[in-house]
Amino acid sequence: MSADPFGAGRDVAMVADLARQFGHHAGRAWFSGARADEEQGTVTVFRVPNHGFDSELRLLIGDAVPLVLEDATHTREELIVARETAWTLADSLQIEAITIPDDGRGINVYVNAPVSEAQAALDRYLPGIARAHDASLGVRA
């Protein structure tokens, strides 16, 4: 049996999608996100370090695309809970948008209010996981 059950012809975006599916299901306790780098031909997976997750993911992905594993502070599941908690503050913080970057460092909360005041409120409810940004400067993932 081949070490790469899906064949060597997989593209980087497809491998990143496969990593996301695995992370969202079997690896949800460790997974934060995945990014495809078409230019480099690699897939970066952000996860809270766990040797078992890394091994299973490498076995699933095979050798078709180089896999880069990066440490994340928070899992995707933790970030989703943080996002939902932040939305409960929407009226008082004048939240326009909330994004969850793939890297697992935290959530970005875009506000139409003084950023320092919004950050202070976020630090009370979501310390170390939410960052306030000025919505008038645009929303970034």
Side-chain angles (χ1 to χ4, degrees):
M1 184 171 166
S2 169
D4 182 3
F6 298 97
R10 287 188 291 173
D11 65 21
V12 174
M14 190 168 106
V15 171
D17 284 342
L18 182 61
R20 283 185 201 98
Q21 289 173 19
F22 175 75
H24 289 305
H25 300 287
R28 72 178 336 126
W30 301 281
F31 179 75
S32 294
R35 290 185 188 152
D37 185 335
E38 298 285 348
E39 189 174 300
Q40 297 292 321
T42 61
V43 171
T44 302
V45 174
F46 299 91
R47 86 289 184 253
V48 174
N50 177 285
H51 179 70
F53 173 81
D54 296 355
S55 297
E56 287 181 47
L57 182 61
R58 285 188 190 280
L59 183 62
L60 176 67
I61 299 301
D63 298 329
V65 172
L67 187 63
V68 178
L69 298 172
E70 293 283 335
D71 292 351
T73 308
H74 305 283
T75 67
R76 188 84 176 164
E77 198 166 86
E78 291 169 329
L79 297 173
I80 290 169
V81 169
R83 178 187 62 195
E84 297 309 312
T85 301
W87 275 121
T88 66
L89 307 170
D91 290 337
S92 63
L93 296 182
Q94 299 176 38
I95 295 174
E96 182 171 312
I98 300 174
T99 61
I100 302 177
D102 291 333
D103 61 15
R105 286 185 291 146
I107 62 172
N108 296 315
V109 180
Y110 294 88
V111 297
N112 292 310
V115 172
S116 59
E117 291 175 20
Q119 188 62 57
L122 291 169
D123 287 344
R124 276 194 302 280
Y125 296 100
L126 298 163
I129 197 169
R131 294 177 304 276
H133 299 276
D134 184 344
S136 68
L137 300 175
V139 175
R140 303 172 306 282

